[in-house]
Amino acid sequence: MPQTSPLPPAILLMGPTASGKTASALALARSLPVEIISVDSALVYRDMDIGTAKPSRDEQAACPHHLIDILSPEEAYSAARFCEDARRLMGEISARGRVPLLVGGTMLYYKALREGLSDLPEADPVLRREIEDAAARDGWPAQHAELARLDPDAAARLEPNDAQRIQRALEIVRLTDQPLAASYARRESAADTHRLIPLALTPGDRAVLHARIERRFDAMLLAGFVDEVERLRRHYQLDASLPSMRCVGYRQALEYLEGHCSLATFRDKGIFATRQLAKRQITWQRNFRDNWGDLVELDCLAPDLETRVAGEVMARLG
């Protein structure tokens, strides 16, 4: 029987915030014919540059980039739309004889792309508004307690102030009358179109990554992060419930600009929230390691990280 042709490769380069993903990706672009697909739920938004650590114009000019600056901050993006966009782009890039390089830290997008999307109900605006109103009245810890009453397992996996996830979990449980796990267990998978090569950048010393996060946040402040958020408020109809304003740093900046905290408190809250994001991203990667037998982890703090990433990619490309 004739052998079927192998699937074209696609590289997944994931890692927590401040782990060196952009530098490693651009290093790969200097030696391989890659095009970068952003796997980042914040980089899709226009005019959100400093607080998202968006690749600079020069960095984007060094290699084709996709799924950056495609939406207004007033719009929403989803894992389903990402999968649709990413699969289309992967096919187009491979057809050009180049290699898709998917780079970012939105781990849900990687999971959806590789494992398929859960069969979840669409957002219900009325129910969502009820939950938001209840949270405004009683606080998100009270909504977390309500989730614990309805679905203890789902609540145990969430922090009491994780507003976005508590809201969506409550919405799904109320709409389906089932535990969250039951909804996530129903998945729709797409046919494989590429041979995925997953690499995860993981810190060997969490404290060093935390110090790097603090330095980067301070650099963002010096670069005009607060002014950026003020411009966003002038040019768009924004509020704290929008997905764009739930991005780490932006929510805290809004609180500061609305007079709810001091600049020093904003800085501390922003750094803490970024560290919590990194913690969640590392937990995602640990789950990927346990479930994906082909995942390769590299210490993102290694001085020769870019060389290690290139070596692993070359070896896996064959």
Side-chain angles (χ1 to χ4, degrees):
M1 295 179 61
Q3 292 184 341
T4 57
S5 59
L7 295 174
I11 305 160
L12 311 183
L13 182 59
M14 64 191 76
T17 185
S19 60
K21 298 183 294 295
T22 296
S24 295
L26 292 175
L28 279 176
R30 290 192 289 271
S31 58
L32 287 173
V34 300
E35 294 189 28
I36 293 173
I37 300 174
S38 172
V39 188
D40 192 303
S41 59
L43 296 191
V44 296
Y45 294 113
R46 293 186 290 272
D47 299 323
M48 292 174 56
D49 303 329
I50 298 172
T52 62
K54 188 174 291 179
S56 68
R57 290 183 180 180
D58 288 343
E59 288 172 331
Q60 293 188 48
C63 172
H65 283 65
H66 305 277
L67 300 188
I68 293 178
D69 293 335
I70 62 172
L71 294 179
S72 157
E74 298 167 330
E75 298 178 270
Y77 200 61
S78 67
R81 182 169 171 185
F82 167 78
C83 288
E84 180 181 341
D85 290 343
R87 290 192 181 105
R88 171 180 53 80
L89 288 164
M90 289 162 67
E92 293 171 358
I93 292 167
S94 295
R96 289 193 284 269
R98 301 174 70 83
V99 179
L101 171 56
L102 289 84
V103 184
T106 302
M107 302 302 170
L108 174 62
Y109 290 2
Y110 287 113
K111 182 178 178 67
L113 186 67
R114 178 148 193 181
E115 300 180 9
L117 288 162
S118 299
D119 183 17
L120 300 177
E122 295 291 328
D124 184 304
V126 175
L127 179 55
R128 181 161 290 191
R129 175 54 62 185
E130 289 179 5
I131 296 170
E132 289 175 348
D133 290 345
R137 183 181 64 249
D138 304 322
W140 283 108
Q143 304 316 301
H144 184 265
E146 172 65 6
L147 179 62
R149 185 182 69 82
L150 297 172
D151 188 347
D153 289 340
R157 293 192 294 271
L158 299 177
E159 297 292 331
N161 285 303
D162 193 344
Q164 184 173 3
R165 290 176 176 81
I166 292 170
Q167 179 192 61
R168 182 58 174 152
L170 272 174
E171 184 180 40
I172 293 169
V173 171
R174 288 181 177 177
L175 286 171
T176 63
D177 288 324
Q178 290 184 319
L180 199 62
S183 295
Y184 276 106
R186 297 190 299 272
R187 292 191 173 275
E188 296 180 4
S189 58
D192 291 335
T193 60
H194 286 73
R195 175 171 59 91
L196 301 180
I197 301 173
L199 303 177
L201 308 185
T202 307
D205 185 339
R206 195 82 62 91
V208 176
L209 181 67
H210 285 178
R212 186 184 286 184
I213 287 170
E214 181 174 2
R215 289 194 301 271
R216 192 173 76 167
F217 197 86
D218 283 337
M220 289 175 178
L221 292 177
L222 289 173
F225 180 30
V226 173
D227 292 337
E228 174 178 275
V229 181
E230 185 57 66
R231 286 194 299 272
L232 290 168
R233 294 176 75 204
R234 290 198 304 268
H235 295 150
Y236 301 99
Q237 296 294 318
L238 301 179
D239 61 69
S241 68
L242 287 170
S244 62
M245 292 298 103
R246 289 174 176 170
C247 293
V248 166
Y250 289 86
R251 178 167 48 190
Q252 292 76 23
L254 276 182
E255 291 178 0
Y256 166 65
L257 289 170
E258 291 171 356
H260 300 310
C261 66
S262 67
L263 180 61
T265 299
F266 155 53
R267 174 189 178 273
D268 291 343
K269 283 186 173 183
I271 291 170
F272 177 77
T274 309
R275 289 174 174 171
Q276 290 299 107
L277 170 62
K279 179 181 178 181
R280 293 193 298 271
Q281 291 168 318
I282 293 168
T283 299
W284 273 99
Q285 290 185 174
R286 189 179 303 121
N287 291 333
F288 292 161
R289 180 192 64 204
D290 294 340
N291 293 290
W292 299 357
D294 55 351
L295 179 69
V296 172
E297 288 189 287
L298 298 170
D299 186 356
C300 68
L301 305 177
D304 59 344
L305 174 63
E306 295 171 15
T307 301
R308 294 188 183 191
V309 169
E312 288 290 344
V313 169
M314 295 298 188
R316 301 284 290 280
L317 285 175

